[in-house]
Amino acid sequence: MAALVGAALPGVAVDVGFLEMSEPAAGPVLDGLASAGCHRVVVLPLVLLGAGHAKSDVPALVLEGRARHPGLHVHFGSPLGISRDLVEVLGGAIVGAGGSGLPLLLVARGTSDPDANGDAHKVTRLLGEWSGAPFVLTAFTGVTGPRVAQGLEVFARLGYDRMAVAFWFLCTGVLVERARADIAAFSIATGMDVVDAGYLGPDPRLVPAIVERYREAVRGVPAVNCDLCAYRAPWPGREGRLGQPIGVGHSHLAAEHREHHHPGA
């Protein structure tokens, strides 16, 4: 994806850093851009839902980068969020896989942010409209419910013998693989024919949305959705987040975070 974006932005250095579990860590990548002579850097969260990573962890990375490099202008970009480009790519994949007119289960990454989880349901509805699904449901890979196995069971109870599944993920990984294992077990147990439309992947059609987020950040107009954010108004069980400053949280800068959350990593 970085190579595709770099090709669309001639003269702009495009690099990749990760928040957790993979190398290189984002903080040292930012340091490397500063050492290479960059004067302005956009830190763009390549995530689909505006939850804790986009609202807290990436801003923390930006604030720490500004503190380490006072002469560097570090701009915070918005998460990808919901856009027609992304819906079109995954909707087209559903249609291309033979999922037109089938009931649809969208699998998303669950979060502790009610606003982000609500956005996942919005995506499901948009994809259902795109593919002509008679029934849609959202399931999550963790943190919140319903989980994937629970979502699949709904389709069996409704008497469907064929359904489509799509993943609101940019790339594969443990969560997608785990969900696909649940789907395979469900299909064997029930005889349900499940059409797997996959996930977004490094598709060139995603590049315009990423480039637009980059240009918004350069213009100084990032827009993380906060209309229903737990940081703005209290939610039951999450009252401690109310009024929390931006950039509070873990930035996954270096090994100390991985050792704390993933001992032995």
Side-chain angles (χ1 to χ4, degrees):
M1 185 61 77
L4 293 171
V5 173
L9 293 170
V12 176
V14 178
D15 213 334
V16 175
F18 296 94
L19 284 177
E20 59 181 342
M21 299 185 186
S22 296
E23 296 291 343
V29 171
L30 177 60
D31 296 340
L33 290 171
S35 299
C38 294
H39 299 290
R40 300 173 71 192
V41 174
V42 169
V43 178
L44 196 66
L46 199 62
V47 297
L48 294 171
L49 299 174
H53 281 322
K55 292 178 179 177
S56 186
D57 300 336
V58 177
L61 182 81
V62 170
L63 293 176
E64 290 167 353
R66 289 172 179 169
R68 291 196 308 279
H69 306 284
L72 182 68
H73 295 278
V74 186
H75 303 265
F76 170 59
S78 302
L80 288 179
I82 305 171
S83 74
R84 190 186 189 283
D85 291 339
L86 275 65
V87 171
E88 181 178 2
V89 170
L90 196 55
I94 295 169
V95 174
S100 294
L102 294 180
L104 172 67
L105 176 69
L106 182 73
V107 178
R109 178 170 181 170
T111 80
S112 61
D113 189 299
D115 193 25
N117 293 331
D119 278 348
H121 284 272
K122 181 176 181 178
V123 172
T124 303
R125 185 69 218 184
L126 291 169
L127 289 169
E129 298 278 358
W130 190 283
S131 64
F135 175 76
V136 297
L137 187 70
T138 309
F140 298 93
T141 55
V143 183
T144 191
R147 301 295 177 87
V148 176
Q150 295 171 321
L152 291 165
E153 182 63 26
V154 171
F155 290 81
R157 289 180 176 273
L158 289 174
Y160 291 112
D161 56 11
R162 198 162 186 257
M163 62 180 289
V165 173
F167 294 85
W168 191 240
F169 281 74
L170 280 170
C171 54
T172 190
V174 172
L175 299 180
V176 172
E177 293 169 359
R178 189 180 299 157
R180 281 180 162 160
D182 288 340
I183 293 166
F186 168 78
S187 184
I188 291 171
T190 63
M192 178 85 75
D193 181 17
V194 180
V195 175
D196 186 342
Y199 49 90
L200 290 164
D203 192 300
R205 292 172 293 175
L206 303 184
V207 172
I210 298 171
V211 170
E212 178 59 25
R213 290 289 182 263
Y214 164 78
R215 289 175 174 157
E216 288 172 353
V218 170
R219 296 196 304 266
V221 288
V224 175
N225 178 32
C226 288
D227 290 344
L228 297 172
C229 181
Y231 295 96
R232 173 174 289 187
W235 285 88
R238 300 177 178 87
E239 292 85 355
R241 292 186 180 182
L242 179 62
Q244 190 178 63
I246 193 168
V248 172
H250 52 269
S251 66
H252 308 277
L253 250 185
E256 61 266 20
H257 169 81
R258 293 192 298 279
E259 186 61 31
H260 176 70
H261 288 275
H262 312 285

